[in-house]
Amino acid sequence: MTDCIFCQIVRGERSAYKVYEDAETLAFLDLFPLVEGHTLVIPKAHYIRLQDLNPDLTARVAQAVRAVTEKLEKAFSAPATTIGINNGPAAGQVVPHLHVHILPRYENDGGGTVHSIVRTSPKRSLEEICNLIAKSR
Ligand code: AMP
Ligand code: ZN
């Protein structure tokens, strides 16, 4: 997509601090980092959400996320990382080109966990919820 800022980065029309690249994926520093080393991994092709990727590209993005995670933990001597996708506008996705956030994490860095993102008490039983998901296609 011509007006997508991440496609512009892929095409070299917009600058970015690139930290990893292969044939199908690119990783660059987030322009407004939440922590030193906050990095975004994207497929070079324009897809909005994770489920829009075919299985092969899904695997390639996962591999790039793994490689960048290793690089970040080594570069910043970080003992951990938080890895996440805002997968759709309702989840907070602002840039409509799939990107995986990787954040170096440290003991007592004051940050939250995945458990702090949302807290809506289920109204249905776990059995009902399990059946609902299992039947969904
Ligand atoms: P999200 O809410 O998951 O869509 O997050 C989009 C992320 O992209 C935010 O963390 C922004 O700081 C980041 N961002 C926006 N524009 C740029 C840019 N030109 N280069 C790098 N990161 C960007
Ligand atoms: Zn794009």
Side-chain angles (χ1 to χ4, degrees), residues 29-44:
L29 297 182
D30 194 295
L31 201 55
F32 305 98
L34 300 173
V35 64
E36 274 190 7
H38 181 178
T39 297
L40 304 175
V41 177
I42 66 168
K44 287 182 174 175

Side-chain angles (χ1 to χ4, degrees), residues 71-85:
K71 283 166 74 72
L72 291 178
E73 291 197 3
K74 282 186 184 144
F76 295 97
S77 299
T81 33
T82 293
I83 300 168
I85 300 171

Side-chain angles (χ1 to χ4, degrees), residues 117-128:
I117 291 172
V118 70
R119 190 166 295 271
T120 310
S121 297
K123 294 186 174 55
R124 292 177 272 204
S125 70
L126 291 183
E127 186 180 0
E128 285 177 284

Side-chain angles (χ1 to χ4, degrees), residues 5-6 9 14-17 28-34 38 40 84-87 91-97 99 101:
I5 58 175
F6 289 175
I9 289 172
R14 182 185 288 268
S15 66
Y17 292 95
F28 49 89
L29 297 182
D30 194 295
L31 201 55
F32 305 98
L34 300 173
H38 181 178
L40 304 175
I85 300 171
N86 293 324
N87 199 39
Q93 184 176 15
V94 174
V95 178
H97 183 135
H99 49 283
H101 294 260

Side-chain angles (χ1 to χ4, degrees), residues 1-11 42-48 95-98:
M1 273 179 44
T2 46
D3 57 348
C4 168
I5 58 175
F6 289 175
C7 283
Q8 289 169 355
I9 289 172
V10 170
R11 292 195 300 264
I42 66 168
K44 287 182 174 175
H46 184 86
Y47 293 101
I48 300 173
V95 178
H97 183 135
L98 174 73

